[in-house]
């Protein structure tokens, strides 16, 4: 039988696995079936007349892949808090998303191993005060002391399209 | 049996402000110097189009393209550093569907990686001018 607490904060059941990564101070997660690969940051060539959240395009395995800057697009805080313990683990990478035949790169400041988030507690999305960010989320989870925001990849890429 | 060498394609490699551009030299009829450039309806200033800082007037050059069926010879205003070099179109990386609007908006068809590893954006002036004419007519 569910307790009242369970009803408010149901446990998340992760059936496909997620990649958890950090952009600025925000921990995000994307389902593994939307992730093509992770790469070291690559040289980016700017495309004229592109919106500010698309800094350019890079070459990856025979494809020209657009880079999406989530800090600019979602109004995220760009830097980790000074002297934060997060800093020592920072390792920038490009997270390559794949959706409907298109690959798009995200610049992340830190990535964790792919894993299952089962056991994390659902949190009401209303806790996310940034409306642009909330608009591209499936769910918000509390895992340990960390808030992890699950991206709706389809919506994110449709909204951010050049 | 006679072996025929493949035709060598040449390209103009140049910078429009901070944007590295390559243009297939095939349709380029001549390169104009600053005093030969006239601002006419069929003149397209790439600095303005790409929102880049233009070079001083006397440093400007322009590429006059071959006439086509629909318009007078179009002219592209470019910068002063024109480098004509072999262009390997087979190395072009086209944009993905997510970027489908970019060629129409900018005339840029894809990313080209040169032998020296430098990245260039392939500009197709014909499609750019075609779409501008379409917009003007609407």
């Amino acid at each position: 039988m569910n307790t009242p607490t369970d009803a408010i904060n149901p446990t998340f059941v992760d059936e496909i696995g997620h990649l958890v990564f950090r952009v600025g101070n925000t921990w995000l997660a994307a389902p593994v079936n939307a992730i093509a690969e992770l790469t070291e940051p690559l040289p980016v060539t700017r495309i004229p007349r592109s919106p500010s959240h698309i800094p350019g395009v890079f070459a990856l395995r025979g494809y020209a892949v657009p880079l999406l800057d989530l800090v600019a697009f979602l109004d995220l805080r760009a830097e980790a808090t000074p002297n934060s313990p997060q800093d020592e683990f920072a390792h920038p990478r490009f997270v390559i998303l794949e959706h409907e035949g298109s690959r798009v790169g995200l610049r992340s400041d830190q990535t964790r191993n792919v894993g299952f988030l089962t056991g994390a507690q659902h949190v009401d999305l209303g806790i996310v005060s940034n409306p642009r960010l909330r608009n591209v989320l499936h769910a918000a989870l509390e895992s340990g002391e960390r808030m992890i925001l699950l991206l709706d990849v389809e919506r994110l890429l449709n909204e951010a399209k050049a | 049996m006679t072996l025929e060498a493949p035709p060598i394609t040449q390209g103009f490699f140049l910078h429009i402000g901070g944007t590295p551009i390559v243009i297939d030299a095939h349709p380029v009829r001549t390169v104009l110097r600053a005093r030969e450039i006239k601002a006419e309806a069929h003149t397209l200033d790439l600095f303005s189009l790409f929102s880049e800082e233009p070079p001083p007037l006397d440093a400007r050059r322009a590429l006059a393209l071959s006439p086509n069926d629909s318009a007078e010879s179009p002219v592209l205003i470019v910068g002063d550093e024109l480098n004509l070099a072999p262009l390997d179109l087979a190395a072009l990386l086209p944009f993905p569907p997510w970027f489908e609007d970019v060629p129409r908006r900018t005339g840029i068809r894809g990313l080209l990686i040169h032998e020296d590893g430098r990245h260039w954006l392939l500009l197709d002036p014909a499609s750019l001018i075609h779409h501008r004419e379409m917009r003007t007519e609407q």
Side-chain angles (χ1 to χ4, degrees):
Chain A
M1 190 178 82
N2 286 346
T3 65
T5 305
D6 291 334
I8 295 168
N9 290 327
T11 300
F12 180 65
V13 178
D14 189 349
E15 295 177 342
I16 50 176
H18 284 76
L19 172 74
V20 178
F21 58 99
R22 179 173 62 82
V23 178
N25 282 345
T26 307
W27 283 95
L28 300 165
V32 290
N33 57 9
I35 306 245
E37 62 181 295
L38 295 178
T39 73
E40 297 294 320
L42 295 164
V44 175
T45 304
R46 193 180 77 84
I47 304 286
R49 298 170 64 94
S50 287
S52 60
H53 62 265
I54 301 177
V57 66
F58 57 93
L60 181 67
R61 303 187 202 292
Y63 292 92
V65 180
L67 182 66
L68 170 58
D69 180 355
L70 289 183
V71 171
F73 184 58
L74 300 177
D75 289 334
L76 303 180
R77 291 180 62 185
E79 302 295 332
T81 309
N83 303 321
S84 159
Q86 293 172 343
D87 290 345
E88 61 186 284
F89 302 112
H91 185 128
R93 286 184 193 275
F94 286 177
V95 176
I96 315 298
L97 301 178
E98 186 161 21
H99 177 68
E100 293 183 347
S102 271
R103 290 184 173 197
V104 176
L106 307 178
R107 199 191 324 247
S108 79
D109 296 309
Q110 183 178 353
T111 54
R112 285 170 48 189
N113 290 339
V114 170
F116 290 88
L117 296 172
T118 297
Q121 302 292 304
H122 270 285
V123 179
D124 189 327
L125 270 178
I127 199 169
V128 179
S129 57
N130 175 343
R132 297 191 70 168
L133 175 58
R134 192 171 57 235
N135 185 44
V136 296
L137 297 179
H138 259 315
L141 303 176
E142 207 166 62
S143 176
E145 294 182 352
R146 184 171 290 158
M147 173 88 76
I148 298 175
L149 305 175
L150 270 54
L151 286 172
D152 180 337
V153 171
E154 181 176 4
R155 173 169 280 201
L156 171 69
L157 297 189
N158 282 336
E159 298 270 328
K161 202 169 179 178
Chain B
M1 188 175 77
T2 307
L3 288 177
E4 196 172 324
I8 298 172
T9 303
Q10 298 279 308
F12 282 104
F13 293 77
L14 52 111
H15 284 86
I16 304 297
T19 307
I21 291 288
V22 57
I23 298 171
D24 186 346
H26 254 115
V28 177
R29 197 183 58 203
T30 184
V31 178
L32 304 174
R33 296 191 165 275
R35 59 187 165 78
E36 300 170 304
I37 301 171
K38 297 171 185 171
E40 296 176 16
H42 54 276
T43 300
L44 184 55
D45 184 344
L46 294 184
F47 289 91
S48 170
L49 179 72
F50 293 171
S51 304
E52 295 277 7
E53 187 71 26
L57 280 177
D58 59 359
R60 289 187 174 199
R61 299 288 180 273
L63 302 176
L65 306 181
S66 302
N68 56 35
D69 294 338
S70 63
E72 290 185 72
S73 170
V75 174
L76 303 180
I77 293 183
V78 296
D80 59 342
E81 293 180 24
L82 291 173
N83 182 23
L84 188 62
L87 168 63
D88 181 10
L89 288 172
L92 179 71
L93 308 181
F95 291 135
W98 200 69
F99 250 27
E100 64 189 359
D101 203 38
V102 171
R104 189 176 60 78
R105 205 169 53 223
T106 66
I108 294 170
R109 283 181 42 211
L111 181 67
L112 200 135
I113 302 175
H114 206 14
E115 292 171 348
D116 60 6
R118 294 171 71 185
H119 290 193
W120 301 87
L121 298 169
L122 181 70
L123 182 80
D124 176 13
S127 73
L128 183 62
I129 290 162
H130 172 72
H131 285 293
R132 283 173 67 87
E133 286 172 353
M134 298 272 284
R135 278 207 300 275
T136 306
E137 286 169 8
Q138 283 168 0

